[in-house]
Amino acid sequence: MALTLEQYVTWLDSRDLPWPAPPPIERPKARSCLAHLPDVRAVLWNVYGTLLAIPGGEIYFEHPNKFVMDVALDKTIQEFKMWGSMARTPEKPAEYLARSYASLLSDQRMAPSGTEKFPEVSADRLWEGFVKKLMQKEYRIDAGFYGALNEFSRKVAYFFHASLQTPIAYPEAAQALQHVRDTGFLQGLLADGQCFTPAQLQRCLAKQNPEANVDTLLDPDLRFLSYEFRGKKPSERFFKFALDKMAQRGMEPEQVLHVGSRLDRDIAPAKRLGMRTALFAGDKTSLGATPEQLKDPASRPDVLLTELSQIVAVVG
């Protein structure tokens, strides 16, 4: 039977591959501002920059450092033995893949998005498009190990992005999630993320606490990720979609707390729709907040966390 994405991630770790170093966490000059929010009955977390530290503060599709990008592309070619089915050109393999990758990425970004103002790229669909081209030149997938094309594409996407950026859980992330879960609150994600995001989150939390289990901590039906919705923050449609699902669980917007690290993309759109908000100011790289925004009622959060464990004071 083919490996699930989660099993594939564990298998990769057993090989002790040389991933990039995780980012250093640099604390900003911020002071917590805490308050108990008695009406809150559910918490929706942002992922990158809030639960997970990641170089650059968000997922890269094109790394700003060309050398890092080329290394990730070359590692992907070697890992999945792609070169034999790639067109023979004077270019180096990574250069050829970079051209194809850039074209597929551009196609997704330029595709019609209807009324969505902030369309999202889907990493697995991008790699599926590339693999389909390879299959025209007799490229074959080990379906017994990787699964069908769509499953294989998710694993390629994970491998490539892990070669670009290594995330790490912020201190006490697992503890914070466990506390909210223990209160009996509903708990999920409302985040810019890809098909591999839950698997990355599981991997990072388990390094912090081997007993942490994403499927137990976070309701699988309350994981709202941008790649599935095909719209990313600060898309109001994305937030409304999540709130509609929460309403089906009997939750009003003011009973849902959104925890994020950027005022313009996380806090402001959540506030406009009536949600309660918490800004996580624990890392300079991911924090998106200016003094002016913090003073503006439209983007000022209800509480400000400098440590994830402070969620205890907010939800009780």
Side-chain angles (χ1 to χ4, degrees), residues 59-61 101 104-111 118-127 161 192-196 225-232:
I59 292 177
Y60 288 144
F61 283 92
Y101 178 90
L104 290 164
L105 181 60
S106 177
D107 287 346
Q108 276 207 41
R109 286 173 170 166
M110 298 292 289
F118 304 95
E120 177 64 295
V121 170
S122 176
D124 56 324
R125 288 195 299 121
L126 188 158
W127 283 104
H161 282 275
D192 289 347
Q194 294 294 318
C195 61
F196 49 76
L225 297 174
S226 58
Y227 88 99
E228 290 182 304
F229 184 74
R230 299 194 180 180
K232 60 186 177 181

Side-chain angles (χ1 to χ4, degrees), residues 120-139:
E120 177 64 295
V121 170
S122 176
D124 56 324
R125 288 195 299 121
L126 188 158
W127 283 104
E128 184 173 327
F130 181 70
V131 174
K132 283 180 177 178
K133 290 184 178 181
L134 294 184
M135 287 179 150
Q136 295 173 4
K137 299 186 178 181
E138 299 184 353
Y139 183 71

Side-chain angles (χ1 to χ4, degrees), residues 189-242:
L189 303 175
L190 175 53
D192 289 347
Q194 294 294 318
C195 61
F196 49 76
T197 295
Q200 274 191 335
L201 184 58
Q202 174 62 55
R203 177 180 184 268
C204 294
L205 292 176
K207 287 180 179 294
Q208 196 172 87
N209 177 2
E211 295 183 0
N213 185 304
V214 166
D215 290 335
T216 301
L217 295 171
L218 300 163
D219 190 322
D221 293 329
L222 300 181
R223 298 179 196 171
F224 309 112
L225 297 174
S226 58
Y227 88 99
E228 290 182 304
F229 184 74
R230 299 194 180 180
K232 60 186 177 181
K233 293 179 174 180
S235 167
E236 195 163 288
R237 289 180 61 251
F238 187 28
F239 281 82
K240 285 181 176 178
F241 176 81

Side-chain angles (χ1 to χ4, degrees), residues 12-265:
L12 283 179
D13 283 343
S14 72
R15 293 168 55 192
D16 195 27
L17 295 171
W19 304 115
I25 298 172
E26 188 177 357
R27 301 284 186 181
K29 292 181 179 180
R31 185 169 58 186
S32 61
C33 181
L34 307 176
H36 176 53
L37 303 178
D39 294 334
V40 168
R41 293 290 178 270
V43 179
L44 296 179
W45 297 84
N46 184 51
V47 177
Y48 301 106
T50 304
L51 292 172
L52 300 184
I54 192 169
E58 60 186 348
I59 292 177
Y60 288 144
F61 283 92
E62 294 176 296
H63 201 284
N65 185 318
K66 184 178 183 301
F67 174 77
V68 175
M69 184 73 176
D70 287 347
V71 168
L73 291 168
D74 194 57
K75 286 173 66 176
T76 303
I77 292 169
Q78 294 181 44
E79 176 68 19
F80 298 101
K81 300 177 176 60
M82 294 175 167
W83 182 232
S85 298
M86 290 165 65
R88 291 289 176 255
T89 70
E91 299 171 296
K92 294 179 180 178
E95 291 173 345
Y96 174 85
L97 178 53
R99 231 174 1 93
S100 297
Y101 178 90
S103 176
L104 290 164
L105 181 60
S106 177
D107 287 346
Q108 276 207 41
R109 286 173 170 166
M110 298 292 289
S113 56
T115 59
E116 179 53 62
K117 295 180 181 179
F118 304 95
E120 177 64 295
V121 170
S122 176
D124 56 324
R125 288 195 299 121
L126 188 158
W127 283 104
E128 184 173 327
F130 181 70
V131 174
K132 283 180 177 178
K133 290 184 178 181
L134 294 184
M135 287 179 150
Q136 295 173 4
K137 299 186 178 181
E138 299 184 353
Y139 183 71
R140 293 291 178 266
I141 297 169
D142 182 354
F145 183 79
Y146 291 111
L149 174 60
N150 62 332
E151 297 171 287
F152 176 69
S153 301
R154 295 187 192 111
K155 296 175 176 75
V156 177
Y158 171 81
F159 184 92
F160 170 71
H161 282 275
S163 301
L164 276 187
Q165 300 165 284
T166 296
I168 186 173
Y170 281 111
E172 300 173 324
Q175 177 185 335
L177 292 172
Q178 186 64 54
H179 172 77
V180 175
R181 177 72 176 80
D182 288 346
T183 62
F185 285 19
L186 293 178
Q187 182 169 230
L189 303 175
L190 175 53
D192 289 347
Q194 294 294 318
C195 61
F196 49 76
T197 295
Q200 274 191 335
L201 184 58
Q202 174 62 55
R203 177 180 184 268
C204 294
L205 292 176
K207 287 180 179 294
Q208 196 172 87
N209 177 2
E211 295 183 0
N213 185 304
V214 166
D215 290 335
T216 301
L217 295 171
L218 300 163
D219 190 322
D221 293 329
L222 300 181
R223 298 179 196 171
F224 309 112
L225 297 174
S226 58
Y227 88 99
E228 290 182 304
F229 184 74
R230 299 194 180 180
K232 60 186 177 181
K233 293 179 174 180
S235 167
E236 195 163 288
R237 289 180 61 251
F238 187 28
F239 281 82
K240 285 181 176 178
F241 176 81
L243 285 176
D244 286 345
K245 295 294 184 181
M246 298 304 292
Q248 294 174 17
R249 297 290 191 95
M251 293 288 160
E252 298 295 330
E254 61 270 18
Q255 294 178 299
V256 182
L257 174 69
H258 183 41
V259 187
S261 54
R262 297 174 178 85
L263 292 179
D264 58 343
R265 289 160 53 179

